C-alpha cells in the first residue's frame, strides 16, 4: 500500500498562502512589519513533511530582507525545546510546540480502501478515494497551519523574537542537523517529566503571595482539565458525524436503481454533512485543542514561577539559618538575592503574559464561535434548500 | 405453504418462560383502530400506518402469574385512533394509568367496506389492473400496547360504519397470517408476512423492565403490526376472506394454537420448510414464459439491493444515535468549561453553546427515531415481502412440477394399459382405464392450476409493484420532510448568536 500512498501523495505540495489565514484562526496576532514569518509552501514526502519557512524582515541582524529556508518538524521541536530550557524565558508562556504531522489514520484508511477495492463498485471506489484524498489534504493543511502559528507566535512575542536560536532557525539555509532524540534522551525526558509533575504538585501546594497568581493558578488548572474534556468530546462528536457520511454514500448508490433523484439528494446532503463535520472540526475542535496546549504552557509558566518562589523561600530560610550559625552568610545572601531576582523577574513578566493569554483566548473563542455559528447556519440552509427542492420534485412527480 | 410462514426464530426453542399455558411466547396488547373513509377517487393511499405511530408509552401492568386469559386489567388503555384528519393524535408521554376515553370519530357516511371490495369482484381472467380499485380506504391504527396478565393483547378497532375496538393477542396475528398463507399462498397470492417473534424483547417486556429498550421494542412491534394489518386489508382478495373479517370484527377469537414455536405444528412447519428447500433445488423447470423468468430475476436483484440498503440505513440510525450521545456529552463538557471561564461574556457564550448543542442532540435523537421508523422499518418490511413474493414463485414451480409428475404418471399408466391390452386381462384393463381417466382429469386439473397460478401471479406482481412504488414514494417523501424539519430546527437553534455581539469586549 505504501506504493499507492506514495503515488497519490508524493510530491503533494500546496501553496499555503491561503492557508496562512488558518494560522491566525486560533491566535489573534498583530504582526508588524519588522518581522513577518509564514510557511509559504510544504511538501509531503513519504514519511515527513518539509516546510518552507519564509521570512520578511527589516531587522538589521538578518543578512537579507526576505528569505526562505526548508525545515522539518524535528527542527521546530528543537526550537521549542531550546526556549523551554532557556532560563531567561522562564517568565514567559512559551508558545506550545506544533503537534507531529500524523497521517497514520489516513494511511490506514487508504490501505483498507486498497484492499477492499475488489468488493466495491467502480463509482463507490472512486468516491471513497476522493474522500480520502480530501481528508488527507485537510490534515496536511492543518499541520502546516499549526507549525505556522507556532512561528508567528514566536515572532510576535517581544522577547522571544530576539532569540538567537530563532534567528538561526529562520535564516540558516542548511540543515540544522537536529536529530530526533534517541532512546536514551527520550528516557531522560520521560524521567524529567515525572520529576517535574511531582514537583509541580509540591509547588502547587505552596500558597502564593500574590492573589492574582493564586487565582490564575486555580483557574488554569480547572480550565485546562475542562478544555481537555471538551476537546476530547468534541473530537468524538465530530468523528461520529464523519462516520455517518459514508453510509449516505452507500444509500445513495443503492437507491440509484429506483429513485435517481433521491440518490442524488443523498449524495449532496452527504457532502454537506461532511463539510459540516469538517467545519466543526476546524472551528471548534481545533480551537479547543490549541487552547489545551496553550493552557498547558501557561500552567508550565505558573509552575516555573512557583518553583522560583519555593526556591526563594528556601533561600530565605537558608539565609536565616546561616545568619544564625554565622557560617557562609555571604554565600547564602548571594543565593538568596539571585533567587529573589529570578522570582521577581518571572512574576513581572508572568503577570503580563497571563493577561495577554486571556485576551487572546477570548478573542479567539469569540471569532471561532461566531464563525462556527455562521457556518452551521449556512449549511443548514443549504441542506434545507436541497431537501425541499427534492421533496417538491418528488411530490410533483406523482 | 408452511414455507412462506415467517419461520419462528429457532431461538424460540430456548425460551425460558414457556409456561404450561402455552401462551408463553410474547403477546402484545395494543389498540387497533380501523376507520373507513369515503373518498372514492383520492389518489393518495390511505393514511400511512406510519401516521398511526402513537407515542403512547406501553403500559406495563404487573405481571400476574394468573393463567386466566380473560384477566384483562381494569386499567384501560388509552385509545388513540389517528388517521382521520379531524382528529389530532393524542400524544402521551410515558405510561399513565389514567383512563382517557376514546373520542369517537365523526361518524363517517356508511360505506360498507365490503361494498368497495365488491368493485374488485371481477373474474380473475381479467389481467387488466383496474384503477378504480384504489378507492378502497381503510384505516387501521394499532395503538396502546398493554400488558395483560402474562400476555399482552392487542386491541383493534373495526369499521362497518363505526369504530370498533377489538383486543387481539400477538399470537392471533400470527394465527391469521398462517391461515391466510395456507389458503392463498399456494394459489399465487402474495400474503404479507407477519412481524417476527422476538424472544429477547418479549422477555424483557414481560419481566417488567421499564427501560428504554423494552419500550422501543414494544413500539417497534406495535407499528409493525399496524403496517401488517394495513397491507393485508389493502389486498382486495384477502380482505374478503372470512378469517380476516372475523379477525377484524369478532370480539373473541379461538385461540390460535398452532403458532407456538415448540408445538407440534411448529415443528411440522420447520420440517416442511426444510423439505421445500431441498425440493427447490431439485426441481428444474422449463420456463416457457419469459415474463416469469425476467420477473424472477428482477426480484432477486431487488432483494439484494434492498438488503444492502436496509443494512446501511440501520448503520445510519446507529451512527446518528451515537452522534446524539456524543453531542450530549460535549454539551455537558462545554457547560462546565463555561462555568470555569472567568471572562463573563465568554462564559455566557460557552454556556449558550452548551445549550445549543443539547438541543441539537435532542434533534439528532428525534431524527434517528424518524430514520428508523419511517425508513428502515419499511425496508425491512419489503425485504420480507420480497421473500413472500419469491415464495409465490416457488409455489408456481411446485404446481408445475406436480402437473408434470401427474403427466408422467399418466403416460406410464397409458403404457401399462397398452401392455395390458395385449395381455388381455379385462378386469385389470378396466381398472387401468379407470385410473387413466382419473389421471387425465388430474392432468387437466394440474394444467388448469398452473395456468391459474401463473395468471394470479402476474396480477399480484403488478399490483405489488404498484403498491411498492407508491409505498416507497410516500415514505421517502415523509422521510425527506422529516429531514427538512430537522434542518429547519437546526437553523433556528444556531441563530442564537447575534453575530459578534454576544462576546463583547
Amino acid at each position: 500500500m505504501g506504493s499507492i500512498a506514495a503515488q497519490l501523495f508524493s510530491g503533494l505540495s500546496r501553496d499555503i498562502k491561503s492557508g496562512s489565514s488558518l494560522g491566525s484562526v486560533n491566535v489573534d496576532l498583530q504582526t508588524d512589519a519588522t518581522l513577518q514569518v509564514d510557511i509559504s509552501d510544504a511538501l509531503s514526502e513519504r514519511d515527513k513533511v518539509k516546510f518552507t519557512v519564509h521570512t520578511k524582515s527589516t531587522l538589521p541582524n538578518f543578512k537579507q530582507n526576505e528569505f526562505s529556508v526548508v525545515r522539518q518538524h524535528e527542527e521546530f521541536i528543537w526550537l521549542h525545546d531550546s526556549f523551554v530550557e532557556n532560563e531567561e524565558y522562564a517568565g514567559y508562556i512559551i508558545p506550545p510546540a506544533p503537534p507531529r504531522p500524523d497521517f497514520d489514520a489516513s494511511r490506514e484508511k487508504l490501505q483498507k480502501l486498497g484492499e477492499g477495492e475488489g468488493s466495491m463498485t467502480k463509482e463507490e471506489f472512486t468516491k471513497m478515494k476522493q474522500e480520502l484524498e480530501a481528508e488527507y489534504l485537510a490534515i496536511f493543511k492543518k499541520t502546516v497551519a499549526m507549525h505556522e502559528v507556532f512561528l508567528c507566535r514566536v515572532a510576535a512575542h517581544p522577547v522571544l523574537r530576539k532569540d538567537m536560536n530563532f534567528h538561526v532557525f529562520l535564516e540558516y539555509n542548511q540543515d540544522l542537523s537536529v536529530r530526533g532524540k534517541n532512546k536514551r534522551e527520550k528516557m531522560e525526558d520521560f524521567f524529567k517529566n515525572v520529576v517535574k509533575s511531582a514537583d509541580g504538585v509540591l509547588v502547587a501546594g505552596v500558597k502564593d503571595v500574590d492573589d492574582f497568581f493564586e487565582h490564575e493558578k486555580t483557574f488554569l488548572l480547572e480550565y485546562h482539565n475542562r478544555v481537555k474534556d471538551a476537546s476530547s468530546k468534541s473530537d468524538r462528536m465530530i468523528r461520529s458525524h464523519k462516520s455517518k457520511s459514508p453510509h449516505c454514500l452507500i444509500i445513495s448508490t443503492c437507491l440509484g436503481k429506483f429513485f435517481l433523484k433521491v440518490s442524488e439528494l443523498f449524495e449532496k446532503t452527504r457532502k454537506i454533512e461532511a463539510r459540516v463535520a469538517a467545519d466543526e472540526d476546524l472551528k471548534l475542535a481545533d480551537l479547543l485543542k490549541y487552547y489545551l496546549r496553550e493552557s498547558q504552557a501557561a500552567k508550565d509558566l505558573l509552575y516555573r514561577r512557583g518553583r522560583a518562589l519555593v526556591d526563594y523561600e528556601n533561600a530565605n530560610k537558608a539565609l536565616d539559618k546561616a545568619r544564625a550559625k554565622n557560617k557562609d552568610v555571604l554565600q547564602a545572601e548571594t543565593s538568596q538575592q539571585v533567587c529573589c531576582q529570578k522570582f521577581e523577574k518571572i512574576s513581572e513578566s508572568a503577570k503580563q503574559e497571563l493577561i495577554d493569554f486571556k485576551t487572546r483566548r477570548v478573542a479567539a473563542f469569540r471569532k471561532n464561535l461566531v464563525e462556527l455559528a455562521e457556518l452551521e447556519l449556512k449549511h443548514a440552509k443549504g441542506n434545507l434548500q436541497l431537501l425541499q427542492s427534492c421533496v417538491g420534485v418528488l411530490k410533483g412527480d406523482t | 405453504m408452511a414455507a412462506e410462514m415467517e419461520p419462528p426464530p429457532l431461538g424460540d426453542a430456548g425460551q425460558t418462560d414457556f409456561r404450561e399455558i402455552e401462551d408463553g411466547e410474547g403477546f402484545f396488547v395494543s389498540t387497533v383502530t380501523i376507520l373507513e373513509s369515503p373518498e372514492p377517487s383520492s389518489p393518495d393511499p390511505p393514511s400511512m400506518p406510519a401516521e398511526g405511530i402513537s407515542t403512547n408509552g406501553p403500559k406495563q401492568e404487573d405481571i400476574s402469574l394468573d393463567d386466566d386469559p380473560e384477566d384483562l386489567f381494569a386499567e384501560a388503555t388509552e385509545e388513540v385512533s389517528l388517521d382521520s384528519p379531524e382528529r389530532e393524535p393524542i400524544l402521551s408521554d410515558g405510561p399513565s394509568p389514567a383512563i382517557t376515553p376514546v373520542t369517537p370519530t365523526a361518524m363517517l357516511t356508511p360505506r360498507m367496506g365490503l361494498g368497495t371490495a365488491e368493485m374488485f369482484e371481477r373474474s380473475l381472467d381479467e389481467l387488466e389492473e383496474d384503477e378504480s380499485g384504489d378507492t378502497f380506504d381503510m384505516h387501521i391504527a394499532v395503538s396502546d400496547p398493554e400488558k395483560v396478565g402474562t400476555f399482552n393483547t392487542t386491541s383493534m378497532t373495526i369499521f362497518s360504519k363505526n369504530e370498533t375496538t377489538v383486543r387481539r393477542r400477538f399470537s392471533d396475528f400470527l394465527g391469521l397470517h398462517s391461515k391466510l398463507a395456507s389458503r392463498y399462498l399456494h394459489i399465487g397470492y402474495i400474503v404479507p408476512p407477519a412481524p417476527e417473534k422476538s424472544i429477547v424483547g418479549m422477555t424483557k417486556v414481560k419481566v417488567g423492565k421499564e427501560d428504554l429498550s423494552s419500550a422501543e421494542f414494544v413500539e417497534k412491534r406495535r407499528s409493525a403490526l399496524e403496517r401488517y394489518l394495513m397491507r393485508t386489508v389493502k389486498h382486495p382478495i384477502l380482505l374478503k376472506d372470512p378469517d380476516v373479517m372475523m379477525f377484524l370484527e369478532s370480539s373473541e377469537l379461538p385461540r390460535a394454537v398452532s403458532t407456538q414455536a415448540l408445538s407440534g405444528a411448529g415443528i411440522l412447519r420447520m420440517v416442511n420448510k426444510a423439505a421445500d428447500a431441498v425440493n427447490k433445488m431439485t426441481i428444474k423447470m422449463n420456463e416457457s414464459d419469459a415474463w416469469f423468468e425476467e420477473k424472477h430475476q428482477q426480484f432477486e436483484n431487488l432483494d439484494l439491493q434492498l438488503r444492502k440498503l436496509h443494512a446501511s440505513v440501520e448503520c445510519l440510525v446507529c451512527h446518528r444515535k451515537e452522534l446524539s450521545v456524543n453531542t450530549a456529552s460535549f454539551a455537558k463538557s462545554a457547560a462546565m468549561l463555561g462555568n470555569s471561564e472567568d471572562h463573563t461574556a465568554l462564559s455566557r457564550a460557552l454556556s449558550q453553546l452548551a445549550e445549543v448543542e443539547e438541543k441539537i442532540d435532542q434533534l439528532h435523537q428525534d431524527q434517528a427515531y424518524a430514520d428508523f421508523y419511517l425508513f428502515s422499518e419499511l425496508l425491512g418490511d419489503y425485504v420480507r415481502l420480497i421473500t413472500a413474493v419469491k415464495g409465490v414463485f416457488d409455489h408456481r414451480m411446485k404446481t408445475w412440477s406436480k402437473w408434470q409428475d401427474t403427466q408422467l404418471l399418466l403416460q406410464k399408466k397409458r403404457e401399462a394399459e397398452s401392455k395390458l391390452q395385449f395381455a388381455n386381462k379385462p378386469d385389470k384393463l378396466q381398472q387401468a382405464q379407470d385410473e387413466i381417466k382419473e389421471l387425465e382429469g388430474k392432468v387437466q386439473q394440474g394444467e388448469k392450476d398452473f395456468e391459474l397460478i401463473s395468471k394470479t401471479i402476474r396480477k399480484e406482481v403488478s399490483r405489488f409493484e404498484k403498491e411498492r412504488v407508491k409505498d416507497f414514494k410516500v415514505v421517502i417523501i415523509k422521510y425527506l420532510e422529516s429531514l427538512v424539519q430537522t434542518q429547519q430546527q437546526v437553523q433556528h437553534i444556531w441563530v442564537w448568536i447575534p453575530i459578534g455581539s454576544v462576546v463583547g469586549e
Side-chain angles (χ1 to χ4, degrees):
Chain A
M1 100 81 211
S3 62
I4 300 180
Q7 278 166 19
L8 279 175
F9 300 130
S10 70
L12 178 70
S13 147
R14 290 285 305 179
D15 177 24
I16 312 292
K17 255 302 161 318
S18 58
S20 63
S21 62
L22 279 176
S24 56
V25 152
N26 293 325
V27 198
D28 204 22
L29 294 173
Q30 298 99 4
T31 48
D32 58 297
T34 53
L35 181 62
Q36 275 178 345
V37 184
D38 64 81
I39 297 187
S40 58
D41 200 4
L43 192 64
S44 159
E45 284 181 5
R46 206 146 227 282
D47 53 358
K48 51 190 172 200
V49 184
K50 296 209 164 112
F51 303 96
T52 308
V53 179
H54 167 250
T55 319
K56 256 213 279 232
S57 170
T58 54
L59 290 180
N61 25 6
F62 294 119
K63 299 197 204 97
Q64 300 165 291
N65 275 355
E66 193 170 338
F67 47 89
S68 291
V69 290
V70 177
R71 290 282 172 251
Q72 286 183 27
H73 176 74
E74 287 82 16
E75 292 162 331
F76 284 78
I77 302 296
W78 165 81
L79 183 62
H80 175 258
D81 288 347
S82 75
F83 287 147
V84 170
E85 285 157 3
N86 191 333
E87 284 274 342
E88 291 289 304
Y89 301 140
Y92 305 114
I93 297 184
I94 311 290
R100 207 176 71 86
D102 180 20
F103 297 111
D104 289 342
S106 239
R107 289 224 185 95
E108 242 183 72
K109 279 199 212 152
L110 191 63
Q111 189 170 19
K112 267 197 236 154
L113 182 67
E115 285 169 8
E117 183 174 354
S119 67
M120 309 188 229
T121 64
K122 190 91 200 311
E123 31 177 84
E124 267 177 33
F125 180 70
T126 35
K127 271 187 205 158
M128 299 212 84
K129 196 166 97 158
Q130 273 175 357
E131 250 183 60
L132 270 186
E133 282 178 7
E135 201 182 299
Y136 190 91
L137 196 61
I139 299 183
F140 185 69
K141 274 212 250 192
K142 239 200 277 190
T143 189
V144 167
M146 295 281 156
H147 286 76
E148 195 177 53
V149 164
F150 172 68
L151 290 180
C152 292
R153 283 265 277 124
V154 174
H157 194 282
V159 175
L160 291 179
R161 72 197 330 217
K162 303 194 195 125
D163 181 77
M164 235 11 262
N165 283 335
F166 184 48
H167 290 179
V168 166
F169 178 91
L170 287 179
E171 203 177 9
Y172 190 60
N173 50 14
Q174 287 173 29
D175 194 8
L176 287 175
S177 35
V178 168
R179 54 175 175 73
K181 300 199 165 137
N182 63 20
K183 247 204 197 132
R184 200 187 69 138
E185 284 171 347
K186 285 203 182 131
M187 282 304 280
E188 279 178 8
D189 267 352
F190 173 69
F191 279 122
K192 253 195 263 174
N193 273 334
V194 170
V195 167
K196 191 174 113 183
S197 36
D199 201 23
V201 171
L202 217 65
V203 164
V206 174
K207 178 93 177 72
D208 205 316
V209 281
D210 191 338
D211 270 347
F212 172 77
F213 285 110
E214 185 63 28
H215 168 84
E216 284 294 310
K217 204 169 22 168
T218 35
F219 160 69
L220 267 184
L221 213 57
E222 241 188 289
Y223 191 76
H224 178 80
N225 286 335
R226 296 206 177 148
V227 168
K228 203 180 350 191
D229 198 29
S231 101
S232 77
K233 300 263 169 63
S234 74
D235 268 348
R236 274 217 300 248
M237 177 175 85
I238 287 166
R239 237 178 301 138
S240 348
H241 224 148
K242 283 197 183 143
S243 61
K244 227 175 14 120
S245 321
H247 292 288
C248 292
L249 170 64
I250 299 183
I251 290 178
S252 74
T253 46
C254 283
L255 277 181
K257 294 267 162 155
F258 352 18
F259 292 124
L260 201 56
K261 294 199 187 75
V262 178
S263 90
E264 281 172 9
L265 168 75
F266 270 115
E267 184 59 33
K268 293 194 192 121
T269 51
R270 187 183 68 85
K271 290 214 183 92
I272 292 192
E273 295 264 338
R275 231 173 290 151
V276 169
D279 283 336
E280 281 183 355
D281 193 21
L282 197 63
K283 301 289 166 194
L284 200 52
D286 278 356
L287 175 72
L288 290 173
K289 270 190 230 144
Y290 184 78
Y291 277 96
L292 180 64
R293 294 205 303 279
E294 272 251 26
S295 62
Q296 180 63 49
K299 265 171 69 180
D300 287 344
L301 169 64
L302 279 182
Y303 160 71
R304 291 195 288 272
R305 183 173 166 282
R307 175 91 253 149
L309 178 62
V310 168
D311 287 343
Y312 180 39
E313 289 185 350
N314 286 345
N316 271 340
K317 283 197 208 122
L319 182 60
D320 288 340
K321 243 198 268 177
R323 284 213 181 116
K325 286 201 199 141
N326 219 343
K327 207 165 47 141
D328 296 327
V329 174
L330 195 55
Q331 196 185 26
E333 266 185 1
T334 37
S335 79
Q336 191 253 21
Q337 276 197 343
V338 162
C339 286
C340 176
Q341 275 172 349
K342 187 163 125 184
F343 174 66
E344 295 193 336
K345 182 164 142 210
I346 291 185
S347 297
E348 231 179 87
S349 51
K351 200 166 202 161
Q352 190 52 45
E353 287 279 311
L354 288 172
I355 293 180
D356 284 343
F357 172 57
K358 185 168 176 173
T359 323
R360 258 180 296 133
R361 188 177 72 239
V362 169
F365 266 81
R366 167 176 34 173
K367 179 156 171 258
N368 279 20
L369 286 182
V370 166
E371 286 179 1
L372 176 69
E374 285 176 348
L375 281 173
E376 293 264 2
L377 263 179
K378 184 174 111 180
H379 290 311
K381 278 205 187 102
N383 234 344
L384 186 63
Q385 240 183 357
L386 262 186
L387 287 169
Q388 276 176 332
S389 70
C390 184
V391 169
V393 167
L394 282 185
K395 271 191 173 154
D397 232 8
T398 29
Chain B
M1 293 138 329
E4 290 68 44
M5 234 333 238
E6 283 312 309
L10 290 175
D12 268 7
Q15 59 177 335
T16 50
D17 51 342
F18 188 81
R19 300 168 236 243
E20 350 34 88
I21 10 148
E22 58 275 323
D23 312 300
E25 62 219 74
F27 299 109
F28 191 70
V29 180
S30 53
T31 322
V32 172
T33 317
I34 304 180
L35 278 183
E36 192 211 337
S37 87
E39 283 162 337
S41 35
S42 72
D44 300 317
S47 68
M48 282 299 294
E51 274 174 46
I53 294 176
S54 70
T55 54
N56 295 331
K59 303 275 205 45
Q60 306 281 342
E61 316 290 356
D62 305 311
I63 308 172
S64 91
L65 294 175
D66 194 351
D67 312 1
D68 189 355
E70 251 66 52
D71 188 17
L72 302 180
F73 279 88
E75 285 123 83
T77 62
E78 296 165 39
E79 308 249 317
V80 179
S81 81
L82 293 172
D83 29 43
S84 57
E86 296 88 59
R87 284 251 240 88
E88 311 294 328
I90 304 171
L91 296 173
S92 70
D93 23 24
S96 66
I99 299 176
T100 329
V102 178
T103 55
T105 35
M107 288 314 158
L108 306 167
T109 53
R111 247 298 201 110
M112 291 304 293
L114 284 178
T116 51
E118 250 129 57
M119 292 206 246
F120 298 30
E121 199 72 61
R122 315 259 186 129
S123 72
L124 291 173
D125 297 315
E126 203 127 317
L127 288 180
E128 307 307 311
E129 196 61 21
D130 45 325
E131 289 306 310
S132 58
D134 291 345
T135 68
F136 170 73
D137 283 331
M138 220 194 199
H139 305 254
I140 302 189
V142 177
S143 54
D144 282 340
E146 172 192 297
K147 246 175 52 92
V148 176
T150 48
F151 21 74
N152 303 332
T153 50
T154 304
S155 308
M156 286 180 1
T157 314
I158 295 260
F159 65 27
S160 51
K161 301 190 207 190
N162 308 343
E163 211 179 285
T164 327
T165 312
V166 202
R167 309 188 83 76
R168 291 283 174 263
R169 277 184 258 111
F170 185 65
S171 67
D172 293 336
F173 283 86
L174 294 182
L176 174 68
H177 173 81
S178 80
K179 284 204 207 105
L180 290 180
S182 61
R183 206 173 296 158
Y184 289 104
L185 263 183
H186 68 273
I187 50 178
Y189 289 101
I190 300 175
V191 177
E196 294 175 349
K197 286 199 257 236
S198 156
I199 302 305
V200 177
M202 267 335 281
T203 318
K204 269 205 204 149
V205 167
K206 286 170 102 139
V207 168
K209 267 174 116 192
E210 284 271 351
D211 69 350
L212 205 55
S213 62
S214 64
E216 276 179 22
F217 169 76
V218 171
E219 177 57 33
K220 223 169 102 159
R221 182 166 269 201
R222 188 202 63 80
S223 67
L225 284 177
E226 198 174 286
R227 287 196 304 274
Y228 164 65
L229 275 185
M230 282 298 287
R231 288 219 183 84
T232 311
V233 299
K234 270 201 231 166
H235 193 305
I237 307 294
L238 289 184
L239 180 62
K240 292 194 288 182
D241 183 282
D243 270 320
V244 173
M245 305 300 293
M246 206 168 63
F247 184 83
L248 293 178
E249 281 188 310
S250 63
S251 41
E252 274 308 318
L253 269 193
R255 282 253 224 103
V257 289
S258 66
T259 57
Q260 284 116 28
L262 218 47
S263 69
I267 299 203
L268 187 61
R269 271 203 299 278
M270 284 195 266
V271 168
N272 276 342
K273 215 176 160 303
D276 281 340
V278 171
N279 276 344
K280 211 158 71 150
M281 292 192 282
T282 53
I283 293 180
K284 264 305 156 160
M285 177 166 176
N286 317 346
E287 189 54 79
S288 49
D289 196 341
W291 186 89
F292 278 95
E293 186 67 40
E294 183 192 317
K295 277 294 173 203
H296 191 79
Q297 198 53 40
Q298 215 179 52
F299 277 113
E300 294 278 334
N301 287 343
L302 194 58
D303 193 24
L304 274 172
Q305 291 284 330
L306 275 183
R307 274 179 211 271
K308 234 167 64 165
L309 188 57
H310 184 57
S312 51
V313 172
E314 298 210 312
C315 272
L316 182 64
V317 171
C318 252
H319 277 132
R320 226 191 258 279
K321 285 203 182 126
E322 200 186 302
L323 178 60
S324 102
V325 164
N326 285 346
T327 314
S329 67
F330 173 68
K332 279 199 204 96
S333 130
M336 291 209 333
L337 187 62
N339 279 346
S340 69
E341 172 67 63
D342 58 351
H343 184 264
T344 33
L346 183 54
S347 156
R348 225 182 319 133
L350 283 174
S351 348
Q352 273 180 311
L353 177 68
E355 271 172 33
V356 162
E357 293 287 345
E358 240 181 81
K359 293 198 196 119
I360 299 254
D361 149 50
Q362 190 57 42
L363 261 192
H364 278 138
Q365 261 186 15
D366 294 341
Q367 180 63 51
Y369 184 86
D371 276 353
F372 179 68
Y373 279 108
L374 286 185
F375 208 9
S376 143
E377 286 282 274
L378 173 79
L379 291 175
D381 282 350
Y382 267 93
V383 167
R384 287 200 299 277
L385 267 174
I386 299 240
T387 321
V389 171
K390 290 211 283 201
V392 158
F393 274 87
D394 289 342
H395 263 299
R396 182 170 164 275
M397 264 202 340
K398 276 209 292 216
T399 319
W400 181 86
S401 91
K402 217 168 86 173
W403 172 35
Q404 293 299 325
D405 288 344
T406 334
Q407 260 194 333
L408 277 173
L409 194 56
L410 177 62
Q411 244 189 323
K412 273 203 276 201
K413 288 284 180 196
R414 283 210 177 114
E415 287 171 8
E417 188 223 9
S418 43
K419 276 204 209 124
L420 281 177
Q421 275 199 331
F422 287 136
N424 214 351
K425 285 198 189 127
D427 46 334
K428 279 229 180 106
L429 189 60
Q430 187 56 38
Q431 191 187 24
Q433 280 175 339
D434 287 338
E435 280 177 0
I436 288 183
K437 259 208 199 61
E438 201 185 313
L439 277 179
E440 277 176 353
K442 277 212 192 119
V443 166
Q444 266 188 348
Q445 184 60 37
E447 183 169 4
K448 257 208 333 229
D449 282 344
F450 182 68
E451 297 284 307
L452 188 61
I453 198 178
S454 303
K455 251 192 218 129
T456 316
I457 290 187
R458 278 183 201 258
K459 201 156 160 252
E460 280 290 292
V461 163
S462 51
R463 195 190 69 90
F464 175 76
E465 297 273 280
K466 269 186 51 191
E467 277 297 320
R468 172 171 70 85
V469 170
K470 244 188 338 193
D471 236 356
F472 263 89
K473 202 168 234 170
V474 168
V475 167
I476 289 204
I477 289 186
K478 247 209 176 66
Y479 177 63
L480 290 182
E481 283 181 342
S482 86
L483 285 178
V484 163
Q485 241 198 351
T486 310
Q487 289 301 323
Q488 277 173 335
Q489 307 269 50
V490 168
Q491 259 194 312
H492 286 174
I493 291 180
W494 276 107
V495 160
W496 68 274
I497 301 190
I499 312 294
S501 67
V502 170
V503 187
E505 171 108 320

